[in-house]
Amino acid sequence: MASGDIAQITEALAKTHVGEVELSYKGQGLKLDNAESVKEMVQEISQCQGLQSLRLEGNTLGVEAAQAIAKSLEAKRELEQCHWSDMFTGRLRSEIPPALISLGNALMTSGARLTHLDLSDNAFGPDGVKGIESLLKSSACYTLRELRLNNCGMGIGGGMVLASALTECHKRSSAAGSPLRLKVFIAGRNRLENDGATALAKAFKLLGSLEEVHMPQNGINHPGITALATAIKHNPNLQVLNLNDNTFTKRGSTAMAEAIRHLQCLKVVNFGDCLVRSEGAIAIAGALREGLPFLRELNLSFGEICEAAAVVVAKAVLGKDDLEKLDLNGNCFGEDGCEALRDMMEGMNMEDLLGSLSDDEGEPEEEDYDEEEEEEEKDDEEEREDEKDAEENGVNGTKDVIEDKEPHCSSELSSFLISPSAEKLISLGAKRIQLFEKQVDVSDASKVSDVFLKISSVYKDEPEVKQAVFESTDALLRKAFSDSYSQSYGLISSLMVKLGLLKSEDKKIKRVTVLPGHLLALEHAAALEFFPADQADVLETFLSRNGKVLESCCSARDALKTTLMKTTTA
């Protein structure tokens, strides 16, 4: 072969694009104000055959410059990836929507089918979302797989517009025979709050294709978290869930725990700085025990979690072969608690997986009450007003505890619950088992625990009374534990709160004066193995670490602890 032929082949190979065809102006800090300033860029875009990816991030684009670039994109049918983050630095907010509209119109005109759209760090606000609304609804986005809108200041309004656009895109793409299958959604630091998150949750539920959801720092609290929890259950392939620095509290944590236990593909869970608290951590531990076989990272840092609850979480990740990191830093263990947790992880041969505990907050003060709790109190004012009448109808809302199926029976049961006594319990006769099984609403763990503690409070070491108490508590727990797994975890938590073993975020919940009957009824139930082994382990863990609060009933406490240990090691 002649040397000239070899040179031609070499030159041809040099011009051949292998893999993705990309033009990148990333991070050049260009100030692109007008058509003249982008003349060279426009020429390069126009001459690039088969352009698939365009990187404009790290420059600043004016309206006229955007229009010129848009004109060059009208013929780029093969374009799939638009990496356009941080490209409006120093621009007026009013300049951004028209620039985005021009670029979006060009993509729609070209017939492009996008797979990646990144507009993060552009601070365009709700109006900016409107600037991409038509694009998101169009056929250009029917094939979208990744949507990145981190740190855009969308706000509630922008979140709602975005949710509507995604919903419409799914509707149109489905009608066209190829439903939108978005896999990655990133929208951290956008002030979405509850309404924005709830709107997006509806879109997520419809999509059902998400594999990664990142929504940290959005001012979302339990209503929005609960809506998101409902939505992610419908996305079975979800692998990464990052909701860092929002506010779960108990209700959000419980809802999220119920959701993630269904997600068998989930690998990374970041609920750090979410005020999960101890009750929420226990609920999440229940989900971990039941599912998440491929879990790789779990972040429950800075969540006001006590040491005993952290131990429950640590035990729940035992057997997760893919686990690489458990982050429990910044919680409320105290120096001794941190050491105990490290020792336990070492005993499970998992000490290398536990992250640093250097920012531990120390053991919580009894009367800790922070701004988040105050905000929760405000959110719940209307709910409390709704409950007020029920509370006035009897101690702890007794009439609301039972299902009013048979007025006469309900009246007898109400009389006992308002003013419990051994005589009243015995007077219910053989029908008491049926009453507790059929008429107590077991969907509310707090109400079930109230009834359990009222029944067991009348315990006496007399055969007839003892039989009546145990038959009644057994019937109640049998019904409660036959309900959903997550609700039974809620019952364990509720009992521990009222017995003083676990601090609750709900200041309305008062501890009972612990009596031997309370603990003996639990011991009887444990001996009959009503408690699943993992839940018996939770109760035993808290008894071991916080059992001093039950010192007045030390004999019954020790009997309960012994029986629980047998249950968990059986």
Side-chain angles (χ1 to χ4, degrees), residues 117-304:
L117 178 60
D118 185 357
L119 290 166
S120 299
D121 302 315
N122 279 313
F124 48 50
D127 289 342
V129 184
K130 293 176 182 177
I132 59 171
E133 184 179 9
S134 295
L135 172 64
L136 290 174
K137 292 178 180 180
S138 75
S139 59
C141 288
Y142 288 0
T143 50
L144 198 62
R145 295 295 178 261
E146 295 190 13
L147 178 60
R148 299 170 182 263
L149 296 168
N150 202 57
N151 191 31
C152 288
M154 289 190 287
I156 295 172
M160 289 180 166
V161 172
L162 176 60
S164 176
L166 291 174
T167 301
E168 183 63 22
C169 183
H170 185 270
K171 178 181 176 181
R172 293 181 185 180
S173 60
S174 297
S178 182
L180 171 64
R181 295 194 57 79
L182 188 68
K183 292 184 177 181
V184 177
F185 179 84
I186 300 176
R189 300 182 65 187
N190 271 293
R191 304 193 311 275
L192 294 170
E193 301 182 16
N194 290 330
D195 290 344
T198 300
L200 284 166
K202 292 177 182 177
F204 294 168
K205 183 178 179 180
L206 184 66
L207 291 172
S209 56
L210 291 168
E211 295 180 7
E212 294 187 26
V213 173
H214 302 258
M215 296 175 67
Q217 291 184 300
N218 269 299
I220 309 168
N221 55 33
H222 75 83
I225 295 299
T226 300
L228 288 171
T230 301
I232 65 171
K233 283 194 287 189
H234 296 269
N235 289 264
N237 295 318
L238 192 68
Q239 297 180 32
V240 179
L241 181 58
N242 176 9
L243 295 173
N244 188 283
D245 200 8
N246 289 291
T247 306
F248 282 33
T249 61
K250 175 187 172 183
R251 278 177 286 186
S253 301
T254 303
M256 195 56 71
E258 170 64 19
I260 64 175
R261 74 186 182 94
H262 297 283
L263 302 175
Q264 298 303 300
C265 297
L266 200 55
K267 296 178 180 178
V268 178
V269 176
N270 187 343
F271 296 160
D273 204 12
C274 283
L275 214 61
V276 166
R277 294 202 173 110
S278 299
E279 291 174 276
I282 291 170
I284 290 168
L288 295 175
R289 286 182 182 268
E290 193 179 8
L292 285 73
F294 305 111
L295 184 68
R296 194 171 70 231
E297 294 181 21
L298 175 63
N299 184 346
L300 294 178
S301 61
F302 299 94
E304 294 190 4

Side-chain angles (χ1 to χ4, degrees), residues 444-463:
D444 188 319
S446 180
K447 292 172 182 176
V448 175
S449 64
D450 272 344
V451 175
F452 178 89
L453 294 171
K454 287 175 185 294
I455 297 169
S456 55
S457 70
V458 305
Y459 174 90
K460 293 179 183 178
D461 194 14
E462 300 173 5

Side-chain angles (χ1 to χ4, degrees), residues 416 421-430 432-433 455 458-473:
F416 168 76
S421 71
E423 292 74 18
K424 288 182 181 179
L425 183 63
I426 291 170
S427 71
L428 290 173
R432 60 177 166 261
I433 296 176
I455 297 169
V458 305
Y459 174 90
K460 293 179 183 178
D461 194 14
E462 300 173 5
E464 188 178 16
V465 177
K466 185 187 296 188
Q467 181 181 355
V469 168
F470 287 163
E471 284 180 349
S472 301
T473 53

